[in-house]
Amino acid sequence: MPPINRNSSNSAEKAVSQPGATPNHNAQPPTVDVSSLQLRALAPAEAPMNLLLEADPSAAMIQTYLSDCLIWGAELQKDAKPTVMIGICAIQMQSAQQAELMNIAIEPAFQNQGLGSVFLQKIMETMKLQGIRYLELGTGTFGHQLTFYQRAGFRVIAVEPDYFLRHYPTPLFENGLQHKDRLRLRCEL
């Protein structure tokens, strides 16, 4: 999962403005009870592109993996009824015991409340129940997203030099530093 081309990136936790929307930097995110987060399986065609782009800035790259993924939406429950989809996750099966987290994001208005962490934990529990022993992912070598995954139990297993230079036509920057290499992380479920 590549970093976002913005000054700060943690697609599952950090707020950014939506295209076409006027950002209100003084607005407070709605307070949410994290226990109300529910998973719902989606077909790839149902996956909201705006959410997928929160985690991967390339629609072309997303299209290369989306159709081969298991997709889950994160919905907030209110009065026992699903209200709004606020997150997306795409998992690609690699083998009977291994899967790869290709994309995970939370809607910007709901970020910075721990929902990304709860969502990832629910995904990991779901994958474990399906017999997956290892969950892997790829991410940048620095930034908030790396810390987010490490807090969830992921550990670095490899470095892919120049990955972002070879796979993304537009340079990806975070806090003024260009992403070049990609880290491979793994978590034993």
Side-chain angles (χ1 to χ4, degrees):
M1 179 179 337
I4 304 300
N5 187 11
R6 55 177 79 114
N7 286 337
S8 179
S9 97
N10 180 350
S11 60
E13 299 283 343
K14 186 75 178 155
V16 296
S17 62
Q18 288 291 318
T22 304
N24 181 353
H25 297 289
N26 296 321
Q28 295 296 318
T31 303
V32 174
D33 175 9
V34 296
S35 67
S36 66
L37 191 71
Q38 301 294 318
L39 298 186
R40 180 167 64 93
L42 302 172
E46 294 178 285
M49 185 58 75
N50 66 316
L51 279 177
L52 293 165
L53 288 167
E54 286 294 317
D56 188 335
S58 171
M61 186 66 87
I62 291 168
Q63 292 303 325
T64 66
Y65 59 76
L66 192 60
S67 65
D68 295 330
C69 288
L70 302 172
I71 313 286
W72 284 277
E75 295 181 327
L76 290 178
Q77 296 268 320
K78 185 175 183 178
D79 301 325
K81 296 179 183 175
T83 55
V84 62
M85 184 179 306
I86 56 97
I88 192 76
C89 179
I91 302 276
Q92 191 174 69
M93 301 303 293
Q94 303 297 317
S95 71
Q97 291 190 335
Q98 183 173 309
E100 182 170 352
L101 176 67
M102 302 300 292
N103 192 308
I104 187 169
I106 294 291
E107 181 74 43
F110 293 92
Q111 294 175 357
N112 296 313
Q113 298 182 60
L115 291 167
S117 296
V118 171
F119 188 27
L120 180 57
Q121 283 302 318
K122 286 181 179 268
I123 292 294
M124 292 167 70
E125 290 167 11
T126 299
M127 298 310 297
K128 185 175 182 176
L129 289 173
Q130 292 183 11
I132 299 301
R133 184 169 176 198
Y134 299 103
L135 187 59
E136 292 190 3
L137 62 88
T139 193
T141 57
F142 58 90
H144 295 101
Q145 72 282 352
L146 179 57
T147 305
F148 170 75
Y149 295 125
Q150 289 175 321
R151 278 194 315 254
F154 286 85
R155 299 188 62 191
V156 175
I157 59 169
V159 177
E160 296 175 280
D162 296 330
Y163 177 88
F164 294 110
L165 300 177
R166 289 190 321 269
H167 292 90
Y168 287 81
T170 303
L172 300 176
F173 288 89
E174 185 174 347
N175 295 324
L177 186 60
Q178 184 177 3
H179 280 280
K180 296 178 182 175
D181 305 327
R182 180 170 85 161
L183 296 178
R184 296 291 305 164
L185 281 72
R186 174 187 276 183
C187 183
E188 185 170 352
L189 304 178

